[in-house]
């Protein structure tokens, strides 16, 4: 079930609507203030939806999970020997390379080449995950109290990823006018003297919108003018729902004027989140790129967190994992189509237009608050969906549906949802 997939059971997003309700125990609050840092919120209560899900599970009430974002639990056919390359006996020898072994960095560069993007392997840095890449980048780019601009709506983990590095996340908006676009004026106004980076997710989670080339160019100019880096999370880049959508996607690593870092990983590229290999590919002005890589080398050397076996296996895993990626591509495209068709038949709902990714966004009538809606969907309709507010949608009501569910389950889940609004 997807509530835990982003690490926190969306604890952060449950904060405003916590269950059971505040007020807190004053003594516990004082202990927290004295013992712990303020990098994480002090209230760790789980949200109402997670409580409802636990109750449904405990009570033996089955539901269709349209929040599942863990591909290894979504019924794909993983070849039994897919992970065999991890057994390479060269892995018995430990010869640490802070940026990653060159063969693995070459394999990642070849994977970018598969998507038509040219990257020098020397500009590739390995991490255990995209989350770790964010953490390293925020460490080397930001001092405590600096800020990064993050998209809204977007990936709920930014609140933790920035908070854990003592960095402030300032939102900039994506707006929907028949398709999603970045509010470039708002983004320009969001810069402050403490802005060290702009984070862009392309295609974005959950809106499924690729940043277009003109958006990337304009953001790169703003970054250059403010001496900020552009961090582009491209983990879903392989999941365009049509060739036309892929064609219209902007190329982040074509940016020359600003420091730019593209993020990716096995987690999404080949559906292997448990294997723990992510990467950064760095672009931009040569001198600044060299400086960033030198700093990342020192930061990576401090942890040496990427295991030797996974680095030695990287090339093989990327090659063999293509079989899994193709299954995921076929399923998310089919489910996105299904959602569009079914929503079009239900006059009060709309499937928002998108290009790519593992999620669909359904706009629904605001008859009750989203929080109540998602709980009653679990309890009364037997279907679990995420509310838009988990992803910081600026208004209600939106439901976010994972497109990873097997097609028949997805069709049944969406018809249960849509019946409610008929
Ligand atoms: C936009 C985005 N970036 C990164 C990740 C996580 O990637 P990783 O498993 O490499 O940390 C996710 C996971 O859902 C995501 O949605």
């Amino acid at each position: 079930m997807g509530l835990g997939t982003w690490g926190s059971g969306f604890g952060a997003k449950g904060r405003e609507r916590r269950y059971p309700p505040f007020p807190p125990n004053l003594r516990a609050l004082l202990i927290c203030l004295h013992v712990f840092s303020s990098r994480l919120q002090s209230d760790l209560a789980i949200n109402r939806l997670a409580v409802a899900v636990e109750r449904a599970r405990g009570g033996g009430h089955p539901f269709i999970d349209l929040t599942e974002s863990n591909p290894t639990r979504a019924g794909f056919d993983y070849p039994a020997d897919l992970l065999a390359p991890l057994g390479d006996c060269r892995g018995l020898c430990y010869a640490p390379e802070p940026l990653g072994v060159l063969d693995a960095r070459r394999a990642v560069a070849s994977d970018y080449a598969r998507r038509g993007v040219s990257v020098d392997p020397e500009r590739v840095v390995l991490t255990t995950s995209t989350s770790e890449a964010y953490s390293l980048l925020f460490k080397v780019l930001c001092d405590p109290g600096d800020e990064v601009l993050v998209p809204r709506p977007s990936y709920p983990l930014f609140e933790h990823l920035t908070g854990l590095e003592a960095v402030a996340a300032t939102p900039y908006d994506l707006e929907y006018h028949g398709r999603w676009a970045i509010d470039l004026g708002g983004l320009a106004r969001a810069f402050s003297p403490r802005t060290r980076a702009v984070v862009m997710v392309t295609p974005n989670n959950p809106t499924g919108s690729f940043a277009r080339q003109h958006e990337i160019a304009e953001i790169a100019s703003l970054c250059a003018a403010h001496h900020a880096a552009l961090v582009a999370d491209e983990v879903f880049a392989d999941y365009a729902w049509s060739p036309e959508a892929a064609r219209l996607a902007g190329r982040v690593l074509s940016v020359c004027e600003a420091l730019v870092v593209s993020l990716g990983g096995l987690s999404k590229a080949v559906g292997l989140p448990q294997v723990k290999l992510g990467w950064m590919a760095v672009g931009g002005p040569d001198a600044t790129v060299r400086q960033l890589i030198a700093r990342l080398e020192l930061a990576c050397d401090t942890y040496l967190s990427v295991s030797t076996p996974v680095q030695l296996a990287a090339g093989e895993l990327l090659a063999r994992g293509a079989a899994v990626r193709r299954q995921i591509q076929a399923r998310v495209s089919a489910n996105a189509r299904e959602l569009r068709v079914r929503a079009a038949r239900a006059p009060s709902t709309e499937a928002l237009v998108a290009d790519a990714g593992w999620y669909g966004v359904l706009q629904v009538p605001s008859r009750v608050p989203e929080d109540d809606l998602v709980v009653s969907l679990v309890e009364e309709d037997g279907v679990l969906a995420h509310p838009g507010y988990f992803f910081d949608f600026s208004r209600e009501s939106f439901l976010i549906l994972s497109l990873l569910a097997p097609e028949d389950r997805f069709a049944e889940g969406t018809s249960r949802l849509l019946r409610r609004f008929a």
Side-chain angles (χ1 to χ4, degrees), residues 221-405:
S221 299
L222 288 167
C223 286
H226 290 86
H227 307 289
L230 172 56
V231 176
D233 182 332
E234 299 193 283
V235 296
F236 293 111
D238 280 307
Y239 297 97
W241 298 339
S242 69
E244 177 65 357
R247 197 183 60 76
L248 290 172
R251 295 297 171 95
V252 175
L253 283 170
S254 66
V255 164
C256 301
E257 57 185 316
L259 184 62
V260 50
V261 187
S262 157
L263 308 184
L266 293 188
S267 167
K268 306 293 183 291
V270 292
L272 289 175
Q274 75 280 34
V275 172
K276 294 289 161 204
L277 182 68
W279 52 78
M280 306 179 236
V282 185
D286 282 341
T288 327
V289 168
R290 276 198 300 276
Q291 286 285 327
L292 176 66
I293 291 182
R295 282 167 167 74
L296 286 172
E297 184 166 9
L298 187 53
C300 292
D301 200 18
T302 307
Y303 299 101
L304 293 172
S305 54
V306 188
S307 83
T308 302
V310 79
Q311 296 187 53
L312 296 175
E316 274 279 292
L317 293 174
L318 281 164
R320 292 167 173 231
V324 178
R325 178 172 55 243
R326 280 192 290 272
Q327 295 175 56
I328 302 177
Q329 281 167 336
R331 188 177 294 171
V332 295
S333 307
N335 283 341
R337 249 188 331 270
E338 179 75 14
L339 180 62
R340 239 184 350 260
V341 169
R342 282 173 182 265
R345 284 195 221 120
S348 58
T349 62
E350 184 187 355
L352 302 196
V353 172
D355 307 315
W358 290 8
Y359 304 95
V361 179
L362 188 66
Q363 183 165 14
V364 298
S366 299
R367 293 180 194 142
V368 294
E370 273 180 1
D371 213 23
D372 295 339
L373 170 62
V374 289
V375 167
S376 62
L377 283 171
V378 172
E379 291 176 346
E380 295 162 23
D381 303 270
V383 61
L384 173 61
H386 276 148
Y389 84 83
F390 275 10
F391 299 78
D392 274 341
F393 275 67
S394 57
R395 61 189 177 81
E396 301 202 351
S397 293
F398 296 92
L399 294 173
I400 313 305
L401 313 181
S402 167
L403 303 172
L404 286 186

Side-chain angles (χ1 to χ4, degrees), residues 6 129-131 155 201 205 233 235-236 267-268:
W6 285 301
S129 64
T130 317
S131 291
Y155 183 38
V201 184
N205 168 6
D233 182 332
V235 296
F236 293 111
S267 167
K268 306 293 183 291

